[in-house]
Amino acid sequence: MTPDPHSVPFLSLLLVFVSAAFTDNILLVRFLGLCPCLGVSKKVDASVGLGLAVTFVTACTAVLNYWVYRYLLIPLDIVYLRLIVFIVVIAAFVQLVEMVVERLSERLYQALGIFLPLITVNCAILGTALFMIARPYNATQAFVFGLGSGFGWLVAITLIGGIREKIDEKHVPPGLRGPGLTLIVIGIMSLAFVVFSGMIKL
Amino acid sequence: MSVRARDIFKAGLIGDNPVYRQVLGICSALAVTNLLANTLFMCFGVVFTATLTNVTVSLLRRHIPKRVRMIAQVLIIASYVMMVDTLIRALNPDIHRFIGPYVGLIITNCIIMGRAEAFAAQNPPWPSLLDGLACGLGYSLVLIAIALVREPMGFGTLLGIPLPARELWWHSWTIMLMPPGAFFMLAILTWIARSRTGAKETSA
Protein backbone atom coordinates (compact mmCIF):
# COMPACT_ATOMS: atom_id res chain seq x y z
CA MET A 1 0.00 0.00 0.00
CA THR A 2 1.62 3.28 -1.06
CA PRO A 3 0.09 6.56 0.05
CA ASP A 4 -1.12 9.02 -2.54
CA PRO A 5 1.91 11.22 -3.30
CA HIS A 6 -0.10 14.44 -3.57
CA SER A 7 -1.94 14.52 -0.27
CA VAL A 8 -0.01 13.60 2.80
CA PRO A 9 -1.79 14.39 6.04
CA PHE A 10 0.26 16.49 8.40
CA LEU A 11 -0.29 14.02 11.21
CA SER A 12 1.37 11.17 9.36
CA LEU A 13 4.38 13.37 8.62
CA LEU A 14 4.62 14.26 12.28
CA LEU A 15 4.47 10.58 13.13
CA VAL A 16 7.26 9.78 10.68
CA PHE A 17 9.37 12.58 12.15
CA VAL A 18 8.85 11.62 15.78
CA SER A 19 9.43 7.94 15.18
CA ALA A 20 12.60 8.62 13.20
CA ALA A 21 13.91 11.07 15.78
CA PHE A 22 12.99 9.30 19.02
CA THR A 23 11.64 5.77 18.99
CA ASP A 24 14.00 4.73 16.20
CA ASN A 25 16.82 7.08 17.10
CA ILE A 26 19.50 6.45 14.53
CA LEU A 27 22.38 6.68 16.99
CA LEU A 28 20.98 5.12 20.14
CA VAL A 29 18.68 2.45 18.75
CA ARG A 30 20.07 1.76 15.28
CA PHE A 31 23.74 2.14 16.26
CA LEU A 32 24.64 4.33 13.29
CA GLY A 33 27.05 7.24 13.19
CA LEU A 34 28.94 6.14 16.27
CA CYS A 35 32.50 6.70 15.08
CA PRO A 36 32.17 10.45 14.42
CA CYS A 37 30.10 10.66 17.57
CA LEU A 38 32.85 9.22 19.76
CA GLY A 39 35.40 11.41 18.03
CA VAL A 40 33.62 14.74 18.12
CA SER A 41 31.40 14.62 21.18
CA LYS A 42 34.00 15.97 23.60
CA LYS A 43 32.54 19.47 23.41
CA VAL A 44 28.98 20.70 23.04
CA ASP A 45 29.79 23.35 20.40
CA ALA A 46 31.44 20.91 18.06
CA SER A 47 28.65 18.40 18.62
CA VAL A 48 25.97 20.90 17.65
CA GLY A 49 27.92 22.01 14.57
CA LEU A 50 28.41 18.51 13.29
CA GLY A 51 24.83 17.58 14.24
CA LEU A 52 23.36 20.44 12.22
CA ALA A 53 25.50 19.59 9.20
CA VAL A 54 24.47 15.93 9.43
CA THR A 55 20.78 16.82 9.75
CA PHE A 56 20.93 18.99 6.64
CA VAL A 57 22.79 16.42 4.56
CA THR A 58 20.66 13.50 5.75
CA ALA A 59 17.39 15.24 4.91
CA CYS A 60 18.53 16.34 1.45
CA THR A 61 20.21 13.08 0.47
CA ALA A 62 17.23 11.04 1.70
CA VAL A 63 14.96 12.72 -0.82
CA LEU A 64 17.63 12.72 -3.56
CA ASN A 65 18.23 9.03 -3.06
CA TYR A 66 14.49 8.45 -3.02
CA TRP A 67 14.16 10.03 -6.48
CA VAL A 68 17.16 8.17 -7.83
CA TYR A 69 15.84 4.89 -6.47
CA ARG A 70 12.24 5.40 -7.56
CA TYR A 71 12.79 6.91 -11.02
CA LEU A 72 16.14 5.48 -12.07
CA LEU A 73 17.03 2.24 -10.33
CA ILE A 74 13.61 0.58 -10.34
CA PRO A 75 12.62 1.38 -13.96
CA LEU A 76 16.06 0.30 -15.22
CA ASP A 77 15.96 -2.80 -13.01
CA ILE A 78 19.38 -2.15 -11.50
CA VAL A 79 18.38 -2.12 -7.84
CA TYR A 80 21.43 -4.24 -7.00
CA LEU A 81 23.59 -1.19 -7.80
CA ARG A 82 21.88 0.83 -5.06
CA LEU A 83 24.81 0.77 -2.63
CA ILE A 84 27.23 2.32 -5.10
CA VAL A 85 24.69 4.80 -6.40
CA PHE A 86 23.66 5.98 -2.94
CA ILE A 87 27.20 6.53 -1.74
CA VAL A 88 28.04 8.44 -4.91
CA VAL A 89 24.96 10.65 -4.50
CA ILE A 90 25.94 11.37 -0.90
CA ALA A 91 29.59 12.07 -1.73
CA ALA A 92 28.63 14.33 -4.64
CA PHE A 93 26.10 16.20 -2.53
CA VAL A 94 28.60 16.79 0.28
CA GLN A 95 31.14 18.05 -2.25
CA LEU A 96 28.53 20.40 -3.72
CA VAL A 97 27.56 21.75 -0.31
CA GLU A 98 31.21 22.32 0.48
CA MET A 99 31.67 24.38 -2.70
CA VAL A 100 28.48 26.39 -2.20
CA VAL A 101 29.25 27.13 1.43
CA GLU A 102 32.78 28.20 0.51
CA ARG A 103 31.40 30.74 -1.97
CA LEU A 104 28.56 32.04 0.16
CA SER A 105 30.00 32.51 3.59
CA GLU A 106 33.57 32.46 4.79
CA ARG A 107 32.46 32.16 8.40
CA LEU A 108 30.13 29.25 7.84
CA TYR A 109 32.85 27.51 5.87
CA GLN A 110 35.30 27.95 8.72
CA ALA A 111 32.74 26.54 11.14
CA LEU A 112 31.56 23.62 9.03
CA GLY A 113 34.64 23.00 6.90
CA ILE A 114 36.26 20.43 9.14
CA PHE A 115 33.04 18.45 9.51
CA LEU A 116 32.17 18.04 5.86
CA PRO A 117 34.69 15.33 4.95
CA LEU A 118 33.56 13.41 8.04
CA ILE A 119 30.01 13.38 6.77
CA THR A 120 30.54 11.31 3.64
CA VAL A 121 31.65 8.35 5.70
CA ASN A 122 29.03 8.87 8.41
CA CYS A 123 27.04 5.68 8.29
CA ALA A 124 23.95 7.42 9.67
CA ILE A 125 23.42 9.03 6.27
CA LEU A 126 23.83 5.95 4.12
CA GLY A 127 21.88 4.03 6.75
CA THR A 128 18.96 6.44 6.52
CA ALA A 129 18.86 5.93 2.76
CA LEU A 130 18.90 2.14 3.17
CA PHE A 131 16.19 2.11 5.86
CA MET A 132 14.14 4.57 3.80
CA ILE A 133 13.87 2.31 0.76
CA ALA A 134 12.79 -0.56 2.98
CA ARG A 135 9.63 1.39 3.90
CA PRO A 136 6.71 2.47 1.72
CA TYR A 137 7.42 6.19 1.86
CA ASN A 138 6.75 8.83 -0.78
CA ALA A 139 9.08 11.76 -1.48
CA THR A 140 7.69 14.04 1.24
CA GLN A 141 7.80 11.32 3.83
CA ALA A 142 11.32 10.38 2.75
CA PHE A 143 12.42 13.98 3.32
CA VAL A 144 10.76 14.10 6.73
CA PHE A 145 12.25 10.72 7.63
CA GLY A 146 15.72 12.02 6.75
CA LEU A 147 15.06 15.20 8.72
CA GLY A 148 13.91 13.19 11.73
CA SER A 149 16.87 10.83 11.61
CA GLY A 150 19.32 13.70 11.40
CA PHE A 151 17.54 15.55 14.19
CA GLY A 152 17.62 12.47 16.40
CA TRP A 153 21.35 12.20 15.79
CA LEU A 154 21.79 15.89 16.63
CA VAL A 155 19.88 15.51 19.91
CA ALA A 156 21.84 12.41 20.90
CA ILE A 157 25.30 13.77 20.13
CA THR A 158 24.55 17.10 21.86
CA LEU A 159 23.42 15.33 25.04
CA ILE A 160 26.46 13.06 24.96
CA GLY A 161 28.72 16.06 24.40
CA GLY A 162 27.23 17.79 27.43
CA ILE A 163 27.65 14.76 29.65
CA ARG A 164 31.22 14.15 28.48
CA GLU A 165 32.25 17.74 29.20
CA LYS A 166 31.42 17.10 32.87
CA ILE A 167 32.49 13.51 33.14
CA ASP A 168 35.94 13.77 31.56
CA GLU A 169 37.19 15.80 34.51
CA LYS A 170 36.29 13.10 37.03
CA HIS A 171 38.50 10.30 38.26
CA VAL A 172 37.78 7.12 36.35
CA PRO A 173 39.80 3.92 36.01
CA PRO A 174 42.44 4.53 33.31
CA GLY A 175 41.24 1.67 31.13
CA LEU A 176 37.73 3.07 31.09
CA ARG A 177 38.76 6.62 30.21
CA GLY A 178 37.64 7.91 26.80
CA PRO A 179 35.70 5.51 24.60
CA GLY A 180 34.85 3.01 27.33
CA LEU A 181 33.13 5.53 29.55
CA THR A 182 31.41 7.19 26.60
CA LEU A 183 29.99 3.85 25.55
CA ILE A 184 28.51 3.34 29.01
CA VAL A 185 26.97 6.82 28.90
CA ILE A 186 25.53 6.05 25.46
CA GLY A 187 24.22 2.74 26.79
CA ILE A 188 22.33 4.42 29.63
CA MET A 189 20.89 7.02 27.25
CA SER A 190 19.95 4.28 24.85
CA LEU A 191 18.01 2.63 27.66
CA ALA A 192 15.93 5.78 27.97
CA PHE A 193 15.30 5.99 24.22
CA VAL A 194 14.35 2.33 23.94
CA VAL A 195 11.57 2.97 26.43
CA PHE A 196 10.08 5.52 24.00
CA SER A 197 9.00 2.72 21.76
CA GLY A 198 7.00 1.17 24.60
CA MET A 199 7.63 -2.31 23.35
CA ILE A 200 10.56 -4.50 22.47
CA LYS A 201 11.18 -5.05 18.81
CA LEU A 202 13.55 -7.85 17.95
CA MET B 1 55.80 -16.43 7.19
CA SER B 2 58.43 -13.74 7.51
CA VAL B 3 58.94 -11.71 10.67
CA ARG B 4 57.38 -8.64 9.11
CA ALA B 5 54.31 -10.54 8.04
CA ARG B 6 53.87 -11.89 11.53
CA ASP B 7 54.17 -8.38 12.96
CA ILE B 8 51.51 -7.06 10.64
CA PHE B 9 49.23 -9.88 11.64
CA LYS B 10 49.74 -9.48 15.35
CA ALA B 11 49.22 -5.73 15.21
CA GLY B 12 45.92 -6.04 13.40
CA LEU B 13 44.65 -8.83 15.59
CA ILE B 14 45.66 -7.68 19.06
CA GLY B 15 47.96 -4.67 19.43
CA ASP B 16 46.08 -2.27 17.16
CA ASN B 17 42.79 -4.10 17.15
CA PRO B 18 40.47 -1.90 15.09
CA VAL B 19 37.50 -2.11 17.44
CA TYR B 20 38.73 -1.67 20.98
CA ARG B 21 42.02 0.04 20.28
CA GLN B 22 41.29 2.35 17.37
CA VAL B 23 37.53 2.59 18.10
CA LEU B 24 36.61 2.18 14.45
CA GLY B 25 33.72 0.43 12.81
CA ILE B 26 31.73 -0.13 15.96
CA CYS B 27 28.34 0.68 14.45
CA SER B 28 27.96 -2.70 12.87
CA ALA B 29 29.79 -4.33 15.77
CA LEU B 30 26.81 -3.52 17.92
CA ALA B 31 23.91 -4.00 15.58
CA VAL B 32 24.49 -7.57 14.48
CA THR B 33 25.79 -9.17 17.67
CA ASN B 34 22.53 -10.29 19.26
CA LEU B 35 22.71 -13.58 17.38
CA LEU B 36 25.90 -15.50 16.71
CA ALA B 37 24.76 -16.60 13.25
CA ASN B 38 24.22 -12.99 12.13
CA THR B 39 27.60 -12.10 13.53
CA LEU B 40 29.39 -14.82 11.59
CA PHE B 41 27.89 -13.67 8.30
CA MET B 42 28.79 -10.07 9.06
CA CYS B 43 32.37 -11.04 9.93
CA PHE B 44 32.68 -12.93 6.69
CA GLY B 45 31.56 -9.80 4.84
CA VAL B 46 34.05 -7.55 6.60
CA VAL B 47 37.04 -9.92 6.22
CA PHE B 48 36.27 -10.39 2.52
CA THR B 49 35.85 -6.67 1.85
CA ALA B 50 38.82 -5.55 3.95
CA THR B 51 41.23 -8.01 2.35
CA LEU B 52 40.24 -7.45 -1.26
CA THR B 53 39.94 -3.69 -0.89
CA ASN B 54 43.45 -3.51 0.55
CA VAL B 55 44.86 -5.57 -2.32
CA THR B 56 43.05 -3.53 -4.96
CA VAL B 57 43.98 -0.17 -3.48
CA SER B 58 47.57 -1.33 -3.17
CA LEU B 59 47.71 -2.49 -6.80
CA LEU B 60 46.25 0.79 -8.02
CA ARG B 61 48.17 3.02 -5.61
CA ARG B 62 50.41 4.51 -8.32
CA HIS B 63 47.54 5.10 -10.74
CA ILE B 64 45.02 6.91 -8.54
CA PRO B 65 45.56 10.68 -8.49
CA LYS B 66 45.80 12.10 -4.98
CA ARG B 67 42.81 14.41 -5.34
CA VAL B 68 40.28 11.72 -6.17
CA ARG B 69 41.69 8.92 -4.06
CA MET B 70 38.94 9.04 -1.41
CA ILE B 71 36.16 8.63 -3.92
CA ALA B 72 38.14 5.96 -5.76
CA GLN B 73 38.56 4.00 -2.54
CA VAL B 74 34.87 4.32 -1.72
CA LEU B 75 33.99 2.98 -5.16
CA ILE B 76 36.35 0.01 -4.77
CA ILE B 77 34.87 -0.78 -1.36
CA ALA B 78 31.33 -0.39 -2.64
CA SER B 79 31.96 -2.86 -5.48
CA TYR B 80 33.15 -5.54 -3.07
CA VAL B 81 30.34 -4.87 -0.61
CA MET B 82 27.86 -5.32 -3.45
CA MET B 83 29.35 -8.76 -4.12
CA VAL B 84 29.15 -9.71 -0.44
CA ASP B 85 25.58 -8.45 -0.26
CA THR B 86 24.52 -10.58 -3.21
CA LEU B 87 26.43 -13.57 -1.87
CA ILE B 88 24.84 -13.46 1.58
CA ARG B 89 21.40 -13.03 0.08
CA ALA B 90 21.97 -16.11 -2.04
CA LEU B 91 23.38 -18.16 0.84
CA ASN B 92 20.87 -17.28 3.52
CA PRO B 93 17.91 -15.03 2.67
CA ASP B 94 16.54 -15.09 6.23
CA ILE B 95 19.68 -13.70 7.75
CA HIS B 96 20.03 -11.25 4.90
CA ARG B 97 16.61 -9.80 5.71
CA PHE B 98 17.84 -8.88 9.16
CA ILE B 99 21.43 -7.77 8.55
CA GLY B 100 20.92 -6.50 4.97
CA PRO B 101 21.14 -2.77 5.72
CA TYR B 102 24.17 -3.36 7.94
CA VAL B 103 25.95 -5.31 5.21
CA GLY B 104 25.43 -2.29 2.96
CA LEU B 105 26.93 -0.16 5.68
CA ILE B 106 30.25 -2.01 5.44
CA ILE B 107 30.91 0.66 2.80
CA THR B 108 31.10 3.33 5.45
CA ASN B 109 32.82 1.04 7.97
CA CYS B 110 35.79 3.16 8.90
CA ILE B 111 38.04 0.14 9.45
CA ILE B 112 38.15 -0.63 5.75
CA MET B 113 38.55 2.93 4.58
CA GLY B 114 41.05 3.58 7.35
CA ARG B 115 43.28 0.62 6.48
CA ALA B 116 43.12 1.36 2.76
CA GLU B 117 44.20 4.92 3.42
CA ALA B 118 46.73 4.28 6.16
CA PHE B 119 48.34 1.07 4.94
CA ALA B 120 47.42 -0.13 1.47
CA ALA B 121 47.95 3.24 -0.22
CA GLN B 122 51.67 3.08 0.68
CA ASN B 123 52.52 -0.61 0.68
CA PRO B 124 52.86 -3.41 -1.89
CA PRO B 125 49.98 -5.89 -2.39
CA TRP B 126 51.22 -8.82 -0.27
CA PRO B 127 51.64 -6.98 3.06
CA SER B 128 48.40 -5.12 2.29
CA LEU B 129 46.59 -8.40 1.90
CA LEU B 130 47.87 -9.55 5.29
CA ASP B 131 46.99 -6.26 6.88
CA GLY B 132 43.44 -6.35 5.56
CA LEU B 133 43.01 -9.94 6.63
CA ALA B 134 44.39 -9.26 10.10
CA CYS B 135 42.20 -6.23 10.67
CA GLY B 136 39.15 -8.09 9.42
CA LEU B 137 39.91 -10.99 11.75
CA GLY B 138 40.62 -8.64 14.67
CA TYR B 139 37.23 -7.09 14.10
CA SER B 140 35.62 -10.53 13.90
CA LEU B 141 37.27 -11.56 17.16
CA VAL B 142 35.61 -8.73 19.07
CA LEU B 143 32.25 -9.23 17.39
CA ILE B 144 32.21 -12.93 18.16
CA ALA B 145 33.21 -12.27 21.75
CA ILE B 146 30.27 -9.88 22.16
CA ALA B 147 27.85 -12.23 20.42
CA LEU B 148 28.99 -15.13 22.61
CA VAL B 149 27.78 -13.20 25.63
CA ARG B 150 24.70 -11.54 24.18
CA GLU B 151 23.02 -14.52 22.58
CA PRO B 152 23.22 -16.94 25.54
CA MET B 153 22.24 -14.24 28.04
CA GLY B 154 19.49 -12.76 25.92
CA PHE B 155 17.89 -15.79 24.29
CA GLY B 156 19.37 -18.69 26.28
CA THR B 157 20.54 -20.16 22.98
CA LEU B 158 23.77 -20.49 21.05
CA LEU B 159 23.59 -20.49 17.26
CA GLY B 160 19.85 -21.07 17.76
CA ILE B 161 20.34 -24.21 19.88
CA PRO B 162 18.80 -23.89 23.38
CA LEU B 163 21.32 -24.21 26.19
CA PRO B 164 20.41 -26.59 29.05
CA ALA B 165 20.28 -23.81 31.64
CA ARG B 166 17.41 -22.21 29.79
CA GLU B 167 15.06 -25.04 30.73
CA LEU B 168 16.11 -25.07 34.38
CA TRP B 169 16.65 -21.69 35.91
CA TRP B 170 17.76 -19.09 33.40
CA HIS B 171 15.52 -16.13 32.71
CA SER B 172 16.49 -14.37 29.53
CA TRP B 173 17.94 -10.93 30.02
CA THR B 174 15.94 -8.98 27.51
CA ILE B 175 18.27 -6.02 27.95
CA MET B 176 21.07 -8.00 26.32
CA LEU B 177 19.03 -8.13 23.12
CA MET B 178 18.29 -4.45 23.17
CA PRO B 179 20.72 -1.75 22.07
CA PRO B 180 21.82 -0.82 25.62
CA GLY B 181 23.12 -4.35 26.22
CA ALA B 182 25.35 -3.99 23.18
CA PHE B 183 26.76 -0.67 24.34
CA PHE B 184 27.48 -2.03 27.82
CA MET B 185 29.16 -5.15 26.47
CA LEU B 186 31.43 -3.20 24.18
CA ALA B 187 32.26 -0.79 26.99
CA ILE B 188 33.21 -3.64 29.31
CA LEU B 189 35.29 -5.29 26.59
CA THR B 190 37.10 -2.04 25.83
CA TRP B 191 37.75 -1.59 29.52
CA ILE B 192 39.21 -5.07 29.96
CA ALA B 193 41.30 -4.87 26.81
CA ARG B 194 42.70 -1.45 27.59
CA SER B 195 43.52 -2.27 31.18
CA ARG B 196 45.41 -5.37 30.12
CA THR B 197 47.40 -3.77 27.34
CA GLY B 198 48.17 -0.60 29.31
CA ALA B 199 45.88 2.37 28.95
CA LYS B 200 47.20 4.51 26.16
CA GLU B 201 45.03 7.45 25.25
CA THR B 202 43.94 6.74 21.69
CA SER B 203 40.47 8.18 21.47
CA ALA B 204 39.56 8.76 17.85
Side-chain angles (χ1 to χ4, degrees):
Chain A
M1 174 196 91
T2 34
D4 176 21
H6 297 295
S7 66
V8 186
F10 177 72
L11 198 65
S12 98
L13 287 184
L14 195 70
L15 218 64
V16 169
F17 181 83
V18 171
S19 82
F22 295 106
T23 62
D24 245 355
N25 187 294
I26 197 108
L27 180 75
L28 296 169
V29 181
R30 295 285 191 177
F31 309 104
L32 297 179
L34 271 169
C35 316
C37 168
L38 286 181
V40 175
S41 65
K42 278 178 193 146
K43 290 272 174 287
V44 173
D45 316 349
S47 305
V48 173
L50 180 63
L52 286 174
V54 166
T55 309
F56 175 68
V57 174
T58 313
C60 296
T61 54
V63 70
L64 283 176
N65 277 328
Y66 173 83
W67 283 326
V68 168
Y69 183 74
R70 182 83 177 68
Y71 298 111
L72 211 63
L73 298 187
I74 294 184
L76 294 178
D77 200 22
I78 46 171
V79 173
Y80 62 90
L81 282 179
R82 67 190 185 286
L83 297 176
I84 289 196
V85 172
F86 285 176
I87 195 79
V88 168
V89 167
I90 293 168
F93 183 77
V94 171
Q95 196 81 58
L96 198 74
V97 170
E98 193 172 357
M99 290 192 303
V100 169
V101 168
E102 197 177 3
R103 277 289 163 80
L104 284 183
S105 152
E106 189 70 25
R107 262 188 63 226
L108 192 62
Y109 184 70
Q110 293 294 333
L112 280 183
I114 46 164
F115 297 127
L116 285 170
L118 272 177
I119 287 179
T120 311
V121 289
N122 186 329
C123 38
I125 293 166
L126 182 62
T128 303
L130 292 177
F131 288 128
M132 182 246 328
I133 60 166
R135 297 161 189 219
Y137 287 156
N138 62 29
T140 324
Q141 285 169 318
F143 177 76
V144 174
F145 179 67
L147 201 66
S149 293
F151 180 73
W153 201 82
L154 166 70
V155 168
I157 192 176
T158 309
L159 292 175
I160 294 166
I163 295 173
R164 277 188 80 175
E165 267 187 10
K166 298 278 176 219
I167 222 169
D168 276 354
E169 300 157 7
K170 302 285 184 284
H171 288 290
V172 286
L176 201 54
R177 200 170 272 280
L181 194 59
T182 311
L183 281 169
I184 291 182
V185 169
I186 297 177
I188 295 171
M189 284 178 57
S190 159
L191 209 54
F193 273 75
V194 164
V195 176
F196 274 129
S197 66
M199 57 181 169
I200 303 145
K201 281 175 291 177
L202 299 178
Chain B
M1 203 188 264
S2 67
V3 176
R4 190 167 140 68
R6 203 174 331 133
D7 285 346
I8 293 174
F9 224 79
K10 234 176 110 181
L13 218 54
I14 298 159
D16 275 333
N17 186 297
V19 180
Y20 65 71
R21 188 47 100 178
Q22 306 172 20
V23 208
L24 292 179
I26 52 179
C27 315
S28 46
L30 299 169
V32 299
T33 47
N34 57 0
L35 284 173
L36 189 57
N38 292 345
T39 311
L40 292 176
F41 272 96
M42 189 70 187
C43 294
F44 159 74
V46 171
V47 172
F48 179 90
T49 315
T51 313
L52 289 178
T53 302
N54 258 10
V55 173
T56 314
V57 169
S58 164
L59 285 173
L60 294 174
R61 68 187 189 281
R62 293 190 220 290
H63 305 289
I64 302 176
K66 268 253 165 335
R67 280 184 67 85
V68 296
R69 78 177 187 286
M70 287 293 207
I71 193 92
Q73 286 166 2
V74 169
L75 284 179
I76 293 169
I77 298 170
S79 326
Y80 286 122
V81 170
M82 220 168 61
M83 288 181 213
V84 170
D85 188 53
T86 315
L87 206 62
I88 293 181
R89 189 179 339 197
L91 286 175
N92 198 328
D94 290 335
I95 285 187
H96 185 271
R97 202 165 305 129
F98 181 73
I99 67 170
Y102 293 98
V103 172
L105 288 168
I106 296 178
I107 296 178
T108 48
N109 189 319
C110 1
I111 293 176
I112 296 171
M113 187 88 172
R115 292 324 289 175
E117 177 70 17
F119 195 93
Q122 282 117 35
N123 286 287
W126 174 240
S128 303
L129 185 148
L130 288 177
D131 181 75
L133 193 63
C135 276
L137 289 176
Y139 172 87
S140 308
L141 203 71
V142 176
L143 249 70
I144 291 171
I146 297 177
L148 276 177
V149 176
R150 280 184 78 193
E151 189 181 344
M153 286 182 117
F155 283 112
T157 60
L158 198 58
L159 276 174
I161 304 161
L163 297 176
R166 190 189 180 199
E167 314 295 327
L168 302 174
W169 48 268
W170 183 257
H171 287 280
S172 299
W173 288 14
T174 316
I175 191 172
M176 273 297 162
L177 301 178
M178 294 194 294
F183 286 116
F184 293 141
M185 274 307 302
L186 186 63
I188 292 169
L189 206 70
T190 313
W191 187 7
I192 296 172
R194 287 190 170 215
S195 307
R196 285 189 64 90
T197 49
K200 192 179 65 180
E201 187 67 24
T202 44
S203 46

